[in-house]
Amino acid sequence: MNFIFEKFNNLKKFLGLEIGVRKFRNFNKSRISLRPTSVDGILLVETQQPSANDIGLSFFIPQFLTMNGGKAIGYSMIPAKWITKSKQALRHNFSVLSSAGCNEHLLVPSYSDINKSKYCERIKEEIFIVEKMDSANFENYQIDGVIIGDLVYDVYLRSGSQATLDLKDPIFMIKLVESLNYFFFWQEYFSKNVISGVCVSHCVYNFGIPLRIALKYGIPSFQVNAESIYRVNSEFPHAYTEFKNYRSDFIKLPKEIRESAVVEAK
């Protein structure tokens, strides 16, 4: 009986049928009324986010669409298995984001087997380049002017207990292929569609790939979560990096404020 009860609760959670989620969806439906627009722009919204982020996104998405027009498309970057894709598509239909104006859903498949990717030849070309690189320089590895080396680095370290980067590790090559497949997918997608904005949960790992491509083209890019809405730029592609300007911003303050601040800080 406990087994059945547990499975039932898991199904409710998966489909967003918990009372709190249902109430928030109804709340969104009662206050959000987006009118059809002739603008072609697409706001890309990552859907692999903690449920708490749905609160911020429920206000961000309709506001962005009201100001810029177009439509919002949610996307998931997942393994290329039909059951996984089916589950994600079903889940999105019952999600809070679908009630916030993110009606369409895009599944971006992940391939660790290079021969299964439609970008096989391009990936092989990049692997040839990476194999000639030094680990110390890989963090700045880029394709067509878009730096992704640090993102792949993050993915690799997160995959296991590796203390640092090892370009000869077979696991690294698997993660590299996955990241390159994502990169070429998004590069093609951006070239074929009008993208008005990108919204991610994190600026790191493979989640940061569409964001980096967007920044290359000057497309507004955001990290939205339960606590904040942060707009990143090409100079600072990571959220929460304003501390880098603290010294120069402090110098711009009037002298009396700077002096009193130093005294208070002591």
Side-chain angles (χ1 to χ4, degrees):
M1 181 63 71
N2 289 336
F3 174 78
I4 296 176
F5 185 72
E6 181 182 349
K7 292 297 182 183
F8 177 70
N9 282 335
N10 288 340
L11 180 62
K12 284 177 60 179
K13 185 176 182 180
F14 176 77
L15 294 177
L17 299 178
E18 298 168 299
I19 186 169
V21 177
R22 286 190 283 117
K23 284 185 176 181
F24 203 81
R25 281 206 308 262
N26 291 333
F27 169 71
N28 279 344
K29 292 177 181 178
S30 69
R31 70 180 183 85
I32 299 174
S33 179
L34 296 172
R35 298 179 179 179
T37 173
S38 59
V39 179
D40 294 331
I42 296 173
L43 170 64
L44 290 170
V45 181
E46 179 206 323
T47 60
Q48 295 162 281
Q49 309 214 22
S51 57
N53 289 8
D54 290 344
I55 299 173
L57 289 167
S58 291
F59 290 91
F60 173 80
I61 294 172
Q63 183 63 33
F64 185 93
L65 296 179
T66 299
M67 295 175 62
N68 300 281
K71 62 181 179 180
I73 296 181
Y75 67 87
S76 301
M77 299 163 65
I78 60 174
K81 299 178 180 179
W82 72 268
I83 186 65
T84 306
K85 293 189 288 185
S86 300
K87 286 168 62 177
Q88 285 294 331
L90 178 63
R91 186 178 189 177
H92 183 72
N93 290 333
F94 293 91
S95 70
V96 170
L97 295 185
S98 66
S99 68
C102 197
N103 299 317
E104 297 184 36
H105 190 231
L106 174 67
L107 294 167
V108 185
S110 166
Y111 294 96
S112 56
D113 184 345
I114 187 173
N115 295 311
K116 292 183 179 179
S117 173
K118 65 177 289 188
Y119 311 106
C120 176
E121 295 306 317
R122 285 297 312 273
I123 291 175
K124 288 181 179 179
E125 291 175 4
E126 292 303 319
I127 289 177
F128 180 77
I129 294 173
V130 170
E131 287 177 336
K132 296 181 178 298
M133 294 184 69
D134 184 272
S135 296
N137 301 320
F138 181 75
E139 191 172 354
N140 295 317
Y141 165 62
Q142 59 181 278
I143 307 175
D144 298 335
V146 179
I147 296 177
I148 65 167
D150 61 316
L151 304 180
V152 182
Y153 198 143
D154 291 338
V155 172
Y156 170 66
L157 293 184
R158 193 185 187 193
S159 68
S161 58
Q162 298 85 353
T164 189
L165 182 63
D166 181 1
L167 298 182
K168 298 186 183 301
D169 184 351
I171 296 177
F172 167 77
M173 194 55 60
I174 291 174
K175 297 305 176 182
L176 176 62
V177 170
E178 291 177 351
S179 297
L180 290 174
N181 181 79
Y182 283 139
F183 178 86
F184 290 122
F185 172 91
W186 284 118
Q187 188 180 59
E188 180 180 20
Y189 191 88
F190 274 70
S191 69
K192 293 182 177 180
N193 297 275
V194 178
I195 310 301
S196 58
V198 172
C199 180
V200 300
S201 63
H202 300 84
C203 300
V204 294
Y205 308 115
N206 287 327
F207 300 125
I209 291 177
L211 182 143
R212 295 283 177 89
I213 296 175
L215 291 177
K216 174 185 176 181
Y217 296 112
I219 297 171
S221 303
F222 306 87
Q223 175 183 291
V224 178
N225 54 37
E227 300 175 345
S228 62
I229 297 175
Y230 199 102
R231 181 167 180 174
V232 298
N233 55 52
S234 55
E235 183 180 3
F236 298 120
H238 296 95
Y240 313 119
T241 51
E242 63 272 15
F243 65 88
K244 294 184 177 181
N245 292 326
Y246 281 174
R247 183 180 295 275
S248 60
D249 290 342
F250 182 76
I251 293 174
K252 296 176 184 177
L253 295 172
K255 182 180 180 181
E256 59 272 17
I257 294 180
R258 283 185 280 134
E259 291 177 345
S260 64
V262 170
V263 172
E264 184 177 351
K266 293 180 178 180

